Amino acid sequence: MAKKDTSDFREHLANVDRKGKRVWLYPKILIGKFYKWRTWISRVLLLLLMLGPWIHFQGQPIFLFNVLERKFILFSIPFWPQDLYLLALGMLTLVVFIIAFTAIFGRVFCGWACPQTIFMEMVFRRIEVWIEGSPSQQKKLDEQPWNAEKIRKKTLKHTLFWIISFIISNTFLAYIIGSDALKSIATDPVGKHVSGLIALIIFTTVFYLVFAKLRELVCIMICPYGRLQGVLMDKQSVVVAYDFNRGEPRGKIQKSETTDVKLGDCVDCGLCIDVCPTGIDIRNGTQLECIHCTACIDACDSVMQKIHRPEGLIRYASETEFSTGKKFKITSRIVAYAALWAILFSVFVTTVAMRHDLQASLFRGKGSSYTQQANGEVTNIFEMRVVNKTFHEMKVEILPEDKTQRIKVLSDDLSVKPGEQKTILMLVFMSQKDIKRNITPFMMNVKGNGEVLNTVKGKFMGPVFE
Ligand code: SF4
Ligand code: SF4
């Protein structure tokens, strides 16, 4: 393929021409050290991603993101609608982690762990190469008129793309509704799950379009994380970068033998551009389109090996390293991010750990104070709101800690389903002789299935007789 001219990189995106028309990219696959590492990491991540919804612990999936019913499970810990503040805190902790991570390592997540990159580069791109051949053969096929070969290859490729998109959409749906519900969609009569089937078709179409058509546009234009790079990174961030001190002035090897100009190590072969899935020239500096896939490192290393020069002309390095020669150092910005993240993470973990399986809050009966009974006892009416935070139905019991007090539950049904919130009405009895103040604090134990799961404090109101 002819070498791409990227000198006007500030004028337009690499995959858009001067008239604003999309330029279809045909990146080469070059198997180098980083590509092999990425292949293995991708295999592990793909396996975890695809198996995730099918792994159950104590009858429940270990991950569930049921936004429809506002039920979430993370590492087997359930989060119900009442826990949304915890999820928000967890999300905030994750965002700060990503910010800190990006400030240090740039967009490394995109190249190594993002499902979009993994599916695109390790699954769909490989199928494309397997069916249509090398990038130049793909280009030739696209440009040639429709004939039997083109119809056969394109049909096979797009059918496989559609099947894989369907598998991905099933996995995606399983994370939302759970694998059991997904199995029901697959096995029950079609009429019982029309909405589920429509969701599957929509997800499949979206994934197919993402991997067959949109491709690098997702990383360059759609993904908000990609667009944030400019504010998240600084000169200290370690990114995939071209060592301009070593590479420039660039030029073909032959040239250096015929001129007095002392050329750098870059032989201007363009291989780093040919392998780039977003079509950029990393020699123009760090760019928003770079997803840190490391393909250009492998490409340039292979060239350096051939011309017997040291590898690493393109490598992981910071701008400061290139301009001053100083290696990566931890800046006050990184320390601040790390400290903030550590605080948020500690608060999140502590809050989750201290959460009761049976959440209980006690309120005085609306508009009530106290009632004096004929037998000398005083009663207060209370409402207790309980929330079952487990996966099992619970039979609730409420008992006073002080045996001189009595509780009479007025509500009939004390069974609380998983995630359910229930209000239990009760009368609390206290003997007149035990009332020394207008407000007497008291404690009550809340049992779930016979086990004390929470203790709540109440304020008993009563008359004081000297
Ligand atoms: S510049 Fe290099 S690391 Fe960045 S996207 Fe292109 S090939 Fe990947
Ligand atoms: S692959 Fe290396 S030598 Fe070839 S153009 Fe890119 S930076 Fe220069």
Side-chain angles (χ1 to χ4, degrees), residues 242 265-272 283 299-300 303-304 313-314:
Y242 166 71
D265 279 351
C266 174
V267 293
D268 206 14
C269 62
L271 193 58
C272 50
R283 296 173 299 168
C300 193
V303 175
M304 293 299 119
L313 178 57
I314 300 175

Side-chain angles (χ1 to χ4, degrees), residues 398-418:
I398 303 163
L399 303 164
E401 240 181 26
D402 185 340
K403 297 286 180 260
T404 61
Q405 296 153 10
R406 234 167 18 98
I407 290 173
K408 185 179 177 192
V409 174
L410 303 174
S411 304
D412 297 330
D413 185 9
L414 295 185
S415 295
V416 192
K417 293 191 179 72

Side-chain angles (χ1 to χ4, degrees), residues 240 276-278 280 282 289-296:
V240 173
C276 180
T278 59
I280 60 167
I282 193 67
E289 297 95 312
C290 175
I291 56 166
H292 284 205
C293 70
T294 67
C296 54

Side-chain angles (χ1 to χ4, degrees), residues 180-196:
D180 293 338
L182 184 72
K183 270 192 251 169
S184 302
I185 293 179
T187 51
D188 289 352
V190 174
K192 275 182 86 177
H193 299 286
V194 176
S195 54

